[in-house]
Amino acid sequence: MKTLLVLFVVCTLVVLSVSGTAEQKLKNCNDVRAAYSSKGFNVNDVPNKGVNGAPLKVCPQGFSCCTVEMEEKLSQQSHTEIKAPVSRLSTNLQSTFKQRHDHFDKFFRQLLQNAEVSLHNMFVRTYGIMYVQNAELFKDFFASLTRYYVSGSTAINLDSMLSDFWANLLERMFRLVNVQYEFSDSYMECISRHTEQLQPFGDVPRKLRIQLTRAFVAARTFVRGLALMPEVVNKVSTVSASPSCVRAAMKMLYCPYCSGQVALKPCQNYCLNVLRGCLANQADLDTEWNNFLDAMLGLAERLEGPFNFESVMDPIDVKISEAIMNMQENSMQVTQKVFQGCGQPKPSMAFRSTRSVKETSFSGRFRPYSPDARPTTAAGTSLDRLTNDVKKKLKHAKKFWSTLPETVCAGERIAPGDECWNGTAKSRYESVVIGNGLANQVSNPDVDVDITKPDIVIRSQIAALKEMTSWLKAAHSGNDISIDNGKDEDSSGGEESGSTCDPPSCDTDRDIYFSTPPNPSNPRVVQVVKDINSSRALQGSMALALCGLALALLAPHLR
């Protein structure tokens, strides 16, 4: 009995001692005063000793080192602190892809400028006044390509533009090789309408149309995708935290202050539930965000391969020269077909042949373009370097929104193990960690989220990502994103077939001479119906003119 009495007294003294220590801590708020002041607040807001916490709206009530005024200020502080790491991550993401957008856009524009300048300098140097008099044709060609890159089919119909370019080039070349004749405007219109059937430039126009369409659609769509990413991140970053989120953040970050435990950090799972509740709407971006990134990566692969903008633009002058060579080789057949289809033109009274042999002859061979030679003249880099870099960034950006809680709730922001703040005390956090997204927040134990009211800004950005993804997928197939383009770019289905010659320019009988040859890939084997053996004088004058034209256009590629 005496032993039991002694044991009772010892236990009572221990309890009183522990109680007295806890009460002493609450009575002494010096640690809280120092921590509160370090946040930039007035130290006089903090009581010297614990006060009745009954008026507090968020933190546990009882003896507390917090007042209602302190709780309000700390709530604002918690809002700032929980938003800061998210804003920092978002800003870094914005900056990364804003820079990549600028790099790609500058590179593509520089390639266009380089191609135009190169062709212009070459023709001025080798063809002189004859090129200068026709330079607007090529100037308009590159201006149209630039407009298409910037604005797409809303500004330029690429197929029509290319058709007009080749038709105009044919008109000018046809006049040059037939200077002994006079051609009316209606006669030249007849020639233009049948450019595709005549195929004076061989298969170059068809191939170049396919290459330009695919490369330009891919390039401009990819650049638009890069531009969209910072826009989405910026708009999402403007979404304000809900009152329930601010309340939960205050409870997690600063309620330990009220109990005098200023150094106590939240449990990791507790932090995850709070952040997943606060960022529920943002997490719903993840699915469309990842789909968008996959589409961007797919198009990047195309840019490195068959839709390579650089490999199309860099040798474009060579491709045009090749087309002119085809015209040179097929000029006799083309001329005879035109004369039979559009009629015999009138001889020119002003025609005089003044060119010497020295001016019109040349020797050497055509220098083809090597696709293995990838220059680095545009913006000081190459497309391969740019795409390799951006693919790494795109892959790293996947699951950005759904992993924000894990990214924030790490390091010094949380306390490992059970020695952490669980929302009410220093102890293990027992609740289950809920999933990401708005729908999962119905069971969030720490943040009240209205799952019936999704954020309008977030939903609009989800829609923007979904639309851009569809454009990227269309571009991946070589289709223009701004028009309903259902034709196969690999086929010639988009090209006109048959005659479009209308009376009185030509009649049905003459249309037969404009029919597409059986083997379009080898137009040189087309047989002229009319016997041309009697036209030796005509052949001689055309040959002289063609040699001069070929010398001027092809001199830069001769060895």
Side-chain angles (χ1 to χ4, degrees), residues 41-104:
F41 298 119
N42 191 339
V43 70
N44 294 327
D45 292 344
V46 186
N48 292 320
K49 60 181 180 178
V51 297
N52 186 358
L56 298 179
K57 300 177 181 179
V58 179
C59 296
Q61 299 175 345
F63 277 103
S64 176
C65 285
C66 292
T67 63
V68 173
E69 182 181 8
M70 287 176 61
E71 195 177 47
E72 291 176 355
K73 291 182 178 180
L74 289 172
S75 290
Q76 296 174 4
Q77 179 69 17
S78 64
H79 183 201
T80 300
E81 291 189 13
I82 205 169
K83 185 178 180 179
V86 176
S87 296
R88 184 169 60 254
L89 292 167
S90 298
T91 299
N92 290 341
L93 190 66
Q94 277 183 267
S95 177
T96 294
F97 287 101
K98 176 64 168 64
Q99 290 176 1
R100 269 63 189 180
H101 166 270
D102 292 346
H103 291 164
F104 270 89

Side-chain angles (χ1 to χ4, degrees), residues 213-287:
T213 300
R214 288 173 169 176
F216 270 77
V217 170
R220 68 182 304 271
T221 307
F222 193 78
V223 168
R224 291 179 72 180
L226 290 174
L228 179 66
M229 295 180 72
E231 291 176 7
V232 169
V233 176
N234 180 58
K235 290 178 180 178
V236 171
S237 66
T238 64
V239 176
S240 300
S242 66
S244 62
C245 170
V246 175
R247 180 185 177 92
M250 164 64 195
K251 185 178 180 181
M252 179 179 73
L253 297 175
Y254 288 112
C255 280
Y257 276 41
C258 300
S259 61
Q261 303 176 90
V262 294
L264 189 58
K265 301 293 180 66
C267 303
Q268 184 178 32
N269 287 351
Y270 176 36
C271 180
L272 286 174
N273 274 344
V274 171
L275 266 295
R276 288 184 178 181
C278 288
L279 301 174
N281 280 285
Q282 286 85 336
D284 281 347
L285 274 166
D286 224 42
T287 299

Side-chain angles (χ1 to χ4, degrees), residues 147-148 151-158 217 220 480-483:
R147 286 184 64 198
Y148 183 78
S151 304
S153 294
T154 57
I156 293 290
N157 184 308
L158 192 58
V217 170
R220 68 182 304 271
D480 196 318
I481 60 177
S482 56
I483 60 173

Side-chain angles (χ1 to χ4, degrees), residues 431-471:
S431 299
V432 176
V433 178
I434 49 90
N436 285 299
L438 194 61
N440 285 317
Q441 305 313 307
V442 67
S443 57
N444 194 312
D446 299 296
V447 187
D448 294 327
V449 181
D450 187 349
I451 64 171
T452 65
K453 294 181 179 179
D455 186 86
I456 296 176
V457 173
I458 300 291
R459 298 299 139 174
S460 69
Q461 296 313 297
I462 290 175
L465 288 168
K466 186 176 294 187
E467 181 181 41
M468 191 70 232
T469 299
S470 67
W471 292 352

Side-chain angles (χ1 to χ4, degrees), residues 114-116 118-120 122-123 138 141-142 165-166 169 201 204-205 208 211 310-326 365-371 553-559:
N114 288 355
E116 180 177 6
S118 176
L119 186 144
H120 175 78
M122 178 180 73
F123 277 74
F138 297 95
F141 173 71
F142 283 104
F165 169 75
W166 293 114
L169 183 60
F201 303 111
V204 174
L208 191 59
Q211 293 169 349
E310 187 175 17
S311 66
V312 172
M313 288 309 302
D314 186 65
I316 197 167
D317 55 348
V318 179
K319 294 177 187 295
I320 293 174
S321 296
E322 180 185 347
I324 294 171
M325 284 187 68
N326 290 335
R365 63 187 181 87
F366 182 67
R367 184 179 63 191
Y369 168 75
S370 173
L553 295 180
L554 303 179
H557 309 291
L558 300 178
R559 291 180 181 173

Side-chain angles (χ1 to χ4, degrees), residues 260-523:
Q261 303 176 90
V262 294
L264 189 58
K265 301 293 180 66
C267 303
Q268 184 178 32
N269 287 351
Y270 176 36
C271 180
L272 286 174
N273 274 344
V274 171
L275 266 295
R276 288 184 178 181
C278 288
L279 301 174
N281 280 285
Q282 286 85 336
D284 281 347
L285 274 166
D286 224 42
T287 299
E288 285 305 326
W289 176 263
N290 292 335
N291 290 340
F292 163 78
L293 293 178
D294 285 337
M296 286 287 288
L297 286 166
L299 192 55
E301 296 287 345
R302 289 290 205 186
L303 284 173
E304 289 180 312
F307 297 179
N308 191 301
F309 191 90
E310 187 175 17
S311 66
V312 172
M313 288 309 302
D314 186 65
I316 197 167
D317 55 348
V318 179
K319 294 177 187 295
I320 293 174
S321 296
E322 180 185 347
I324 294 171
M325 284 187 68
N326 290 335
M327 173 65 183
Q328 176 193 7
E329 295 177 10
N330 293 302
S331 60
M332 297 301 299
Q333 294 95 324
V334 170
T335 298
Q336 289 301 316
K337 289 171 70 177
V338 168
F339 286 178
Q340 294 178 58
C342 295
Q344 187 74 21
K346 296 179 180 179
S348 173
M349 301 300 295
F351 171 68
R352 291 183 178 86
S353 179
T354 60
R355 295 179 180 177
S356 67
V357 174
K358 180 179 180 180
E359 290 175 328
T360 57
S361 64
F362 72 94
S363 61
R365 63 187 181 87
F366 182 67
R367 184 179 63 191
Y369 168 75
S370 173
D372 295 330
R374 295 285 178 86
T376 59
T377 55
T381 185
S382 71
L383 189 56
D384 286 344
R385 294 189 185 97
L386 289 174
T387 50
N388 284 334
D389 170 69
V390 80
K391 283 195 299 183
K392 295 176 183 177
K393 303 299 181 184
L394 290 168
K395 292 174 182 177
H396 185 70
K398 295 191 74 173
K399 297 184 179 180
F400 174 79
W401 304 103
S402 63
T403 57
L404 275 176
E406 284 82 357
T407 305
V408 174
C409 296
E412 297 181 353
R413 296 190 187 96
I414 54 99
D418 298 337
E419 298 294 311
C420 54
W421 174 252
N422 66 6
T424 56
K426 182 180 180 180
S427 182
R428 177 195 295 269
Y429 181 75
E430 300 291 350
S431 299
V432 176
V433 178
I434 49 90
N436 285 299
L438 194 61
N440 285 317
Q441 305 313 307
V442 67
S443 57
N444 194 312
D446 299 296
V447 187
D448 294 327
V449 181
D450 187 349
I451 64 171
T452 65
K453 294 181 179 179
D455 186 86
I456 296 176
V457 173
I458 300 291
R459 298 299 139 174
S460 69
Q461 296 313 297
I462 290 175
L465 288 168
K466 186 176 294 187
E467 181 181 41
M468 191 70 232
T469 299
S470 67
W471 292 352
L472 291 164
K473 290 181 177 178
H476 187 273
S477 300
N479 296 323
D480 196 318
I481 60 177
S482 56
I483 60 173
D484 182 15
N485 186 357
K487 67 186 178 184
D488 182 5
E489 294 291 346
D490 282 315
S491 71
S492 58
E495 300 177 3
E496 295 179 0
S497 58
S499 172
T500 58
C501 187
D502 297 323
S505 300
C506 59
D507 55 37
T508 305
D509 292 336
R510 285 175 177 173
D511 259 358
I512 189 172
Y513 298 109
F514 289 113
S515 60
T516 303
N519 186 5
S521 64
N522 189 16

